[in-house]
Amino acid sequence: MSDALKHECGIAMIRLLKPLEFYKEKYGSAFYGVNKMYLMMEKQHNRGQDGAGFASIKLDTKPGERYISRVRSIAQQPIQDIFGQINDRVNKELEANPEYKNDVAAQKRNIPYIGEVLLGHVRYGTFGKNSVESVHPFLRQNNWMHRNLIMAGNFNMTNVKELFGNLIDLGQHPKEYTDTITIMEKIGHFLDDAVSKIYKDLKKEGYNKQQASPRIAKRLKVSKILKRAAKNWDGGYAMAGLIGHGDSFVLRDPAGIRPAYYYQDDEIVVVASERPVIQTVFNVKFEDVKELEPGHAIITKKSGQVGIKKILEPLERKACSFERIYFSRGSDAEIYQERKMLGKLLMPKVLEAIDNDTKNTVFSYIPNTAETSFFGMIETAEAFINKTKTSAILNGQRSLSAAKVTEILSERARIEKIAIKDVKLRTFITEDSSRDDLVAHVYDVTYGVIKPTDNLVIIDDSIVRGTTLKMSILKMLDRLNPKKIIVVSSAPQIRYPDCYGIDMARLESLVAFRAALALLKEANKYHIVKEVYNKCIEQTDLDDKNVQNFVKEIYDPFTNEQISDKISELLSDESIKAEVKIIFQPVENLHKACPKHLGDWYFTGNYPTVGGNRVVNRAFINFYEGNNERAY
């Protein structure tokens, strides 16, 4: 993606179902779980580089022994940093106490991080400060083992304000106004309540406090706690939690917006945000890794019993399509084919834009995630060229010379690596002038392969703000002196803000929205903007279920092509000599390519939860009033 987006987070959870001695004997190390967690987090580093965290729980420890370990980092390479810290601590303990080397019980008792229940998280910050205190996993501490709660997730809630108010109504005093703290405290409240009720029952049965503790662990119903806590949540989430005595869970939102996959055998239960992570790290087949169903939780009791429980009634499935276009690793078998299909489905529009002149067209892509869609586009281009070759040979019949036939057969799609990603924009540069200058040099180009008579077709996976296209890519491509530059987006026009995990909170930053405003001005229809604002204001006191997305009316007067053409105009100034055309994927083609992931709200405005309409209206009100606050 040419536009830098902060988005998504990645979760990884491992539950070892055998004693640590088993892993020492079979795999050579009692740190088997820690080693696997490192690999799982590294394989998901694409999902978050603002921070990383790790937590573990030891089962069946004695009073006075530490059983929870946690380490978090916001270093430049946070995953390497936290596992470097873990490695250093472990090595120091083993060097100081060589007798621990082959004594797993002593290792577990005396060395931190080793444990049977492990949780990892990689973070891109979309809400709250980017400090180490904002990095998951979060920890809610208590002297009662059962009331300790460790949480990490890939989520955003649209109704944090309401949930925060609920906590205050319960008599709590949350330490921060963030969705993570709010969610953790909500679960923690019902966890405390459940533990208290079970203890009262046990006391009536004649058990003292010490005797009650292990029985609480057995009787605690995690599914019931989650049902009570999640009742009013509105958002997209894959939420992982560890309870101090050893129960663990991962809960997925009822619309299936955020992804979660799991694998289970007699040695291990593992959950991750992406399927190929589990496949690679544990060397298992595609079909062995299951998708956690929307509204369901995978719950592992301290005893090792594993169950899938329905926590919330599933909604219409609206799994995030951006996961397939860009966020998730393209090594997933299904995602790879879907991205190729996105490229294939764009080719008819590309051929129309170049007047079927493949001889004088060079095809390329924006590194790196658009590469797979590029392969699909080229397969379709080759099929078109082969069809024209066949027609030329059949039409020529016997009049064709051998040389002419050879010439016809030699024609192929002209493929070149044109754009080269040269430097990563550093977030510590905040001045607009410095940032713009740096953006202009994010990409370099390959010189000497484009002729003045050539069209240059270059595919990107999506165009969000258009900043990098305008400031860098188009200017650099124009230096190659092509006749025409055609930028192809494998995603549709991004018209609406996201509120479920992607950092697209402000409408005015979206180039499609700016294009629609420009068209309204040209058509003397800018009064629609005020009308939409008034409609949004009228809805501010309505319940979320009654709110409509009136921002759609900004786009209604125009066709997709009109908005695409205006985007082309906005992103190319008078310094660009070549003709510029931008082509976007139609939404119906997105659905053909990704039939199981129909979450398309940022393209269509059809939000999968009732809170989405409130967020888009608030984003529009903020735009109209010149307010830079987030809409959620």
Side-chain angles (χ1 to χ4, degrees), residues 148-309:
N148 282 286
L149 179 63
I150 303 170
M151 286 202 63
N154 169 19
F155 67 97
N156 265 357
M157 296 297 175
T158 71
N159 60 337
V160 182
K161 185 176 181 180
E162 175 192 340
L163 297 174
F164 189 83
N166 289 345
L167 291 178
I168 295 170
D169 292 341
L170 291 170
Q172 292 194 21
H173 189 94
K175 62 182 180 181
E176 284 184 51
Y177 180 73
T178 64
D179 48 6
T180 310
I181 290 290
T182 304
I183 292 302
M184 184 174 68
E185 291 299 338
K186 191 78 180 287
I187 295 174
H189 169 78
F190 290 109
L191 174 62
D192 289 347
D193 189 54
V195 170
S196 295
K197 285 179 179 176
I198 295 170
Y199 172 65
K200 286 178 183 177
D201 290 340
L202 289 166
K203 190 176 179 182
K204 288 178 184 177
E205 294 170 26
Y207 296 102
N208 62 35
K209 292 180 179 179
Q210 192 172 351
Q211 292 169 329
S213 191
R215 288 169 174 81
I216 290 173
K218 288 181 181 178
R219 295 191 189 185
L220 197 66
K221 292 183 178 179
V222 177
S223 60
K224 188 174 181 180
I225 293 167
L226 293 176
K227 284 177 184 178
R228 296 179 72 192
K231 188 177 178 181
N232 297 319
W233 293 355
D234 189 284
Y237 49 87
M239 203 86 64
L242 315 181
I243 301 174
H245 64 272
D247 287 359
S248 63
F249 65 87
V250 176
L251 169 63
R252 191 178 183 198
D253 69 84
I257 296 169
R258 297 272 70 89
Y261 295 88
Y262 69 93
Y263 167 76
Q264 176 190 352
D265 60 24
D266 62 344
E267 294 181 10
I268 197 165
V269 177
V270 57
V271 187
S273 294
E274 299 189 27
R275 187 201 317 262
V277 172
I278 300 174
Q279 284 183 258
T280 301
V281 173
F282 293 93
N283 191 27
V284 295
K285 297 177 183 176
F286 176 91
E287 57 269 21
D288 292 333
V289 182
K290 309 298 182 185
E291 184 176 5
L292 183 60
E293 290 299 313
H296 286 67
I298 179 169
I299 298 169
T300 307
K301 291 290 291 176
K302 176 183 178 292
S303 63
Q305 179 187 1
V306 184
I308 307 292
K309 298 287 187 180

Side-chain angles (χ1 to χ4, degrees), residues 553-572:
E553 295 179 10
I554 296 294
Y555 299 97
D556 285 347
F558 312 110
T559 65
N560 289 341
E561 286 70 23
Q562 285 175 307
I563 293 174
S564 294
D565 289 344
K566 180 53 68 173
I567 290 172
S568 304
E569 187 182 316
L570 291 178
L571 297 185
S572 56

Side-chain angles (χ1 to χ4, degrees), residues 66 68 70 139-144 147-149 184:
R66 290 187 67 93
I68 293 177
R70 182 177 63 149
L139 173 60
R140 187 178 191 263
Q141 290 182 291
N142 194 287
N143 265 356
W144 279 62
R147 295 186 179 186
N148 282 286
L149 179 63
M184 184 174 68

Side-chain angles (χ1 to χ4, degrees), residues 246-496:
D247 287 359
S248 63
F249 65 87
V250 176
L251 169 63
R252 191 178 183 198
D253 69 84
I257 296 169
R258 297 272 70 89
Y261 295 88
Y262 69 93
Y263 167 76
Q264 176 190 352
D265 60 24
D266 62 344
E267 294 181 10
I268 197 165
V269 177
V270 57
V271 187
S273 294
E274 299 189 27
R275 187 201 317 262
V277 172
I278 300 174
Q279 284 183 258
T280 301
V281 173
F282 293 93
N283 191 27
V284 295
K285 297 177 183 176
F286 176 91
E287 57 269 21
D288 292 333
V289 182
K290 309 298 182 185
E291 184 176 5
L292 183 60
E293 290 299 313
H296 286 67
I298 179 169
I299 298 169
T300 307
K301 291 290 291 176
K302 176 183 178 292
S303 63
Q305 179 187 1
V306 184
I308 307 292
K309 298 287 187 180
K310 184 169 77 172
I311 305 301
L312 296 162
E313 198 62 41
L315 303 172
E316 183 182 1
R317 183 185 166 93
K318 292 291 183 181
C320 174
S321 57
F322 240 119
E323 286 280 352
R324 320 302 279 186
I325 296 165
Y326 170 63
F327 294 145
S328 292
R329 291 169 75 92
S331 55
D332 183 282
E334 286 184 343
I335 292 175
Y336 184 78
Q337 294 302 326
E338 288 168 6
R339 289 183 182 172
K340 283 185 75 175
M341 183 57 69
L342 288 169
K344 289 179 179 181
L345 293 171
L346 279 163
M347 201 58 204
K349 280 195 167 191
V350 173
L351 289 170
E352 183 183 333
I354 62 173
D355 297 323
N356 294 332
D357 184 10
T358 52
K359 278 187 179 179
N360 294 301
T361 300
V362 171
F363 297 91
S364 193
Y365 62 92
I366 304 293
N368 289 317
T369 49
E371 185 176 12
T372 308
S373 296
F374 172 73
F375 291 152
M377 189 172 73
I378 292 305
E379 281 185 13
T380 310
E382 292 282 7
F384 171 80
I385 291 169
N386 288 338
K387 189 175 179 180
T388 60
K389 290 179 191 177
T390 302
S391 296
I393 292 171
L394 291 175
N395 292 336
Q397 297 181 350
R398 295 185 180 181
S399 63
L400 291 176
S401 65
K404 185 62 178 175
V405 171
T406 301
E407 180 188 334
I408 292 171
L409 291 176
S410 66
E411 185 183 344
R412 295 192 62 192
R414 293 170 60 194
I415 302 168
E416 303 290 351
K417 187 165 185 178
I418 297 295
I420 303 160
K421 199 161 190 178
D422 204 30
V423 65
K424 186 175 180 179
L425 180 64
R426 300 298 294 272
T427 56
F428 57 74
I429 297 178
T430 56
E431 298 86 3
D432 288 343
S433 57
S434 299
R435 188 183 294 275
D436 289 349
D437 183 61
L438 190 59
V439 169
H441 294 88
V442 166
Y443 290 89
D444 206 343
V445 289
T446 303
Y447 294 93
V449 294
I450 304 291
K451 303 192 295 289
T453 53
D454 284 337
N455 303 305
L456 174 55
V457 174
I458 192 155
I459 189 169
D460 197 355
D461 44 37
S462 56
I463 299 168
V464 184
R465 304 179 184 99
T467 307
T468 309
L469 266 181
K470 183 179 179 70
M471 300 301 299
S472 175
I473 293 172
L474 286 175
K475 293 179 186 297
M476 301 196 83
L477 296 179
D478 194 55
R479 292 179 196 170
L480 304 177
N481 199 29
K483 177 179 68 176
K484 191 174 186 180
I485 300 170
I486 300 161
V487 180
V488 186
S489 169
S490 72
Q493 297 165 3
I494 297 171
R495 299 181 170 193
Y496 303 94

Side-chain angles (χ1 to χ4, degrees), residues 8-26:
E8 301 311 278
C9 293
I11 57 171
M13 194 178 76
I14 294 174
R15 169 61 201 273
L16 303 178
L17 298 176
K18 304 278 189 184
L20 294 179
E21 286 81 2
F22 171 87
Y23 304 94
K24 169 71 171 175
E25 184 177 340
K26 183 170 181 178

